[in-house]
Each structure stands twice: as C-alpha cells, then as structure tokens.
Amino acid sequence: MVVAQAGVTLGELLKAVEDGDMLFPPHPGDEGAQVGGLVACNAGGVRAVKYGVVRSYVKGLEVVLPTGEIVNMGGKLIKNNTGLDLMHLLIDSEGILGVITKVIFRLYPKSGGTATLVISYDDRHDAINTVPKILQSGVIPLAIEYVENDEVEISAKHLGTKWPATKGKAHLIAIVTGANEDEVYSQCEQISQVCQKHNAVDILIAERREEQADILKIRSEIYTALKPRLADGLDITVPPATIGKVLDAVDEIAQRFDTDIPVYGHAADGNLHPHLMMDLQERGILKGVKREVYKAAADLGGVITGEHGVGKTRLGEFDLYVDEKSRELMKGIKKLFDPNEILNPRTAVG
Ligand SMILES: Cc1cc2nc3c(=O)[nH]c(=O)nc-3n(C[C@H](O)[C@H](O)[C@H](O)COP(=O)(O)OP(=O)(O)OC[C@H]3O[C@@H](n4cnc5c(N)ncnc54)[C@H](O)[C@@H]3O)c2cc1C
C-alpha cells in the first residue's frame, strides 16, 4: 500500500509507485489531478475494466470535518466490517462532507507485459457491439475504449502526431496485460479472433512502450481537441450489455435534432461521453437535447454520470436517476457532516 497526502498529483503518485516497482492501475486522463480530488470525485478513466475505479483502491482516509475535527477512516486493511462505512461515503462526496488530507491506496504487482490493440470498423455499431463479446470470451483487458475516426484525427493533429490506423470509421482500443509476453500474445490472439468475427476491417497491435503511450495520449486528448467547439460533454453510463442500444438512441436523437453527436468513452464500463456541440447552443436546443440523451440512458437502467460527478451542472437532471427518498437521505447525511453548510453548498446533492 502507499500513503499519499491530498496534494500529491496523479503523475507524482504514478512515478513514486513505479519507482517502488509496483502498479497503481487507475488512469483518469489528467495526471495533474491531485489525490484529494481523485478520491473526492472517485475518478475512473480508461483502465477500470480489469481493476475498477479509484474507489477500488482506497483503503484509508484522513479527513478534516467542517467542524474542524479530524477523523481517520479505514486503514491498511483488506477486510473491515466495523460499523457503517464512512470511508466509502467520503469517496465521491465531491467535497461536500469533509476535506480529505491523506489517503491510503492499495497497490498491485507490476505486470510482466502489455500490448495495445487498435481494432478498426467501418460501422460504429459493429465496434460497440463487439465489446460485450470480447468480455464474454474470457479475456478481461485493462481497458477497452471506443473512439471515432474523426475525433482521433483531430486529437492527433492537435498533438502534432498521426493516428496509427488507416482504415475504419470507428475504433476500439484494447489494452491487455499479462504475467509475461506469451500471456499477452495469447490474449491479443483471442481478442483479434472475436473482432474479426464481428466485422473488424483492420487490427493493429502496438507492443513498443512509446507506440502504446502515443495511442493512449491521442485518446486522452480528444476532449481537449474538441473543446473549442464543445457545448457540453456528457458522461452517461448504462449496463454494459446495453451499450449498443444507447448508441442507437444517441444516433436517433442526433438525427431528430439534425446535428452530429460525436461519442467516445470507456465502452467496456458502459460509460460513454456523447459530445453536444456549439451548434445546439446557437440554436437554443442544447438543454432539450441533453435531457433526451440523459433520458435514453436512464430508460436503459443507466445514470446521468458515471465518473464526472454531479457538481452543480447536473443537479437539474438528478431526478432522472435519484428518487425523492434517496435525495432526502443524501441531504440528511450532508447536514450531519456539515451543519453550517460551509463545504461546497448546493453541490452534488443540492
Ligand atoms: C484532460 C482531462 C481528462 C480527464 N479524464 C478523466 C477520465 O478519464 N476519467 C475521470 O473519471 N475523470 C477524468 N478527468 C477528471 C479528473 O480526473 C478530475 O477532475 C480529478 O479527479 C479531480 O481532481 P482535481 O485535483 O482536479 O480536483 P479539483 O478540480 O480541484 O476538485 C474537484 C472536486 O473535488 C473536491 N476536492 C478536491 N480536493 C479535495 C479534498 N482534498 N478533499 C475533499 N474534496 C476535494 C473539490 O471541492 C471539487 O468539488 C479528466 C480531467 C481532465 C482535465
């Protein structure tokens, strides 16, 4: 395990852990994010498929309450059933319950080998529908990301580099890890076979570290590259088996409102980021389209945010997922921790 103070950045944490020859698997896109923020937002990112989101790694917290008292929760423990789990209440509390000052994270041994596959498709529905098939085949990759060709081209251009795949309109990026190179190779074979069966038009396997890092960098920077034309980046999450249906629904909404909705995201987690562009704002229909996308996710048993959180901007759509009683309980917990409402008022639970 590793103990980190709240101001340590993800980049610093990853380096310290690497120097200790261990692995901290989660990798949300912003390495400048600090440990306190990563835990307060329960960040996810690309590598959640095999090992889970930040919550899965937090074993202990030191928290300063709004009343000034200091509370320690959890510890360097694998099992702990002692009382209500306050630590997990603090994770993803978006700064409304207390200030996290120290975190104990669980680490894993480093893997012996890794490879990144870029699997290209002419039809984006073939791409997304292959994701459950890969998972059902028995291979659990570290990541399976869904990206569209236009987005990765823009991101690569923004970075002054080149997207390596030359075919296809949509791509899956699968990262596999194993104890050794043979295990990695056999996982790549298995994934390739599944994808070929589901109409992949090209499969590229990157093994060199720099080559793999470049692909991930292009994926991570899509948001920054699209940002100048972006009105709102959504974060819907649906049960993974329904990911194809939610993409159909987004297509239908785009068609109905005569717009383009670029989509990318953490496909194997059922977590997609449909991007609503400036034209919707200019036409005065941004809010309506957003609500339609949220409703489509909620109708499939999904949620309006899987990793970005509620903050202030999603409070208006809270009712699509959280019922009246649950909201009352959340507000009661906030009041108990923060009787004077001094921490992030009107955030996360209203
Ligand atoms: C380019 C980019 C890519 C990203 N990609 C992903 C991704 O793939 N997946 C994902 O999940 N996220 C992603 N994020 C979001 C990022 O992970 C979060 O913004 C980050 O975890 C928040 O940490 P921060 O230090 O930036 O916190 P801040 O932005 O400073 O704070 C965020 C919230 O946490 C609260 N908070 C901060 N520190 C504490 C503390 N010590 N105690 C209590 N509350 C606190 C704040 O009050 C605030 O409400 C991305 C962000 C960027 C910019």
Side-chain angles (χ1 to χ4, degrees):
M1 299 203 192
V2 65
V3 183
Q5 291 190 343
V8 170
T9 65
L10 174 63
E12 290 164 342
L13 178 71
L14 291 173
K15 174 150 194 339
V17 169
E18 165 109 36
D19 289 350
D21 218 19
M22 297 292 286
L23 175 73
F24 178 69
H27 195 269
D30 179 15
E31 289 196 4
Q34 296 174 333
V35 159
L38 290 170
V39 175
C41 298
N42 185 28
V46 299
R47 295 190 197 155
V49 185
K50 191 166 183 175
Y51 294 107
V53 296
V54 162
R55 181 186 295 282
S56 320
Y57 300 88
V58 179
K59 291 292 160 198
L61 293 179
E62 180 190 80
V63 178
V64 181
L65 299 179
T67 49
E69 294 146 295
I70 299 174
V71 183
N72 282 286
M73 302 165 179
K76 289 184 175 174
L77 302 165
I78 299 298
K79 289 185 168 178
N80 180 1
N81 276 355
T82 319
L84 290 181
D85 201 332
L86 298 177
M87 184 186 83
H88 278 284
L89 255 186
L90 261 292
I91 302 169
D92 191 31
S93 61
E94 298 187 25
I96 67 167
L97 301 182
V99 177
I100 298 159
T101 45
K102 208 188 278 181
V103 182
I104 301 171
F105 286 117
R106 182 182 187 172
L107 302 176
Y108 280 79
K110 261 164 95 169
S111 49
T114 174
T116 299
L117 295 94
V118 176
I119 308 139
S120 307
Y121 294 81
D122 280 337
D123 180 334
R124 70 181 193 161
H125 294 268
D126 280 336
I128 211 87
N129 287 325
T130 311
V131 175
K133 306 291 174 205
I134 296 173
L135 297 173
Q136 285 158 12
S137 78
V139 182
I140 307 289
L142 194 61
I144 307 181
E145 293 291 297
Y146 167 80
V147 293
E148 293 173 356
N149 201 62
D150 291 349
E151 298 158 2
V152 283
E153 294 288 355
I154 293 170
S155 177
K157 195 168 164 202
H158 160 81
L159 288 166
T161 177
K162 214 171 161 327
W163 175 245
T166 52
K167 292 185 187 161
K169 291 195 177 112
H171 313 272
L172 296 178
I173 303 170
I175 305 176
V176 295
T177 56
N180 52 50
E181 281 182 8
D182 286 350
E183 197 185 312
V184 170
Y185 184 72
S186 120
Q187 291 184 56
C188 291
E189 276 281 286
Q190 209 169 325
I191 292 176
S192 301
Q193 280 172 16
V194 174
C195 295
Q196 271 158 354
K197 230 193 252 176
H198 291 86
N199 304 329
V201 292
D202 200 16
I203 300 174
L204 179 154
I205 302 178
E207 286 170 276
R208 277 193 309 112
R209 204 183 156 117
E210 306 77 48
E211 218 182 337
Q212 296 190 62
D214 278 352
I215 293 167
L216 194 58
K217 182 87 182 143
I218 294 172
R219 156 62 188 94
S220 295
E221 290 291 323
I222 294 175
Y223 170 75
T224 316
L226 291 181
K227 210 169 167 191
R229 292 192 298 121
L230 182 67
D232 204 345
L234 309 187
D235 178 40
I236 52 171
T237 301
V238 294
T242 67
I243 191 117
K245 288 189 179 152
V246 84
L247 198 61
D248 287 342
V250 171
D251 267 0
E252 188 277 319
I253 294 166
Q255 213 170 13
R256 187 153 31 101
F257 288 91
D258 191 24
T259 188
D260 281 329
I261 303 184
V263 177
Y264 64 90
H266 316 298
D269 306 326
N271 181 199
L272 288 180
H273 301 311
H275 276 38
L276 306 184
M277 309 310 275
M278 279 300 181
D279 67 304
L280 298 176
Q281 185 150 306
E282 284 150 15
R283 290 157 59 198
I285 54 171
L286 178 64
K287 221 171 154 192
V289 174
K290 180 160 66 171
R291 188 132 182 123
E292 290 291 311
V293 176
Y294 281 158
K295 259 177 69 39
D299 288 347
L300 289 166
V303 290
I304 60 170
T305 174
E307 59 175 20
H308 292 170
V310 176
K312 294 190 196 302
T313 57
R314 293 192 178 92
L315 271 179
E317 281 84 21
F318 217 40
D319 59 304
L320 285 173
Y321 177 69
V322 180
D323 62 38
E324 217 24 64
K325 186 67 202 172
S326 305
R327 196 155 183 189
E328 185 190 317
L329 289 169
M330 290 182 196
K331 285 186 167 184
I333 290 166
K334 161 75 171 160
K335 187 99 190 135
L336 190 64
F337 272 82
D338 185 13
N340 300 317
E341 290 256 353
I342 61 170
L343 287 188
N344 282 358
R346 291 172 299 287
T347 301
V349 297

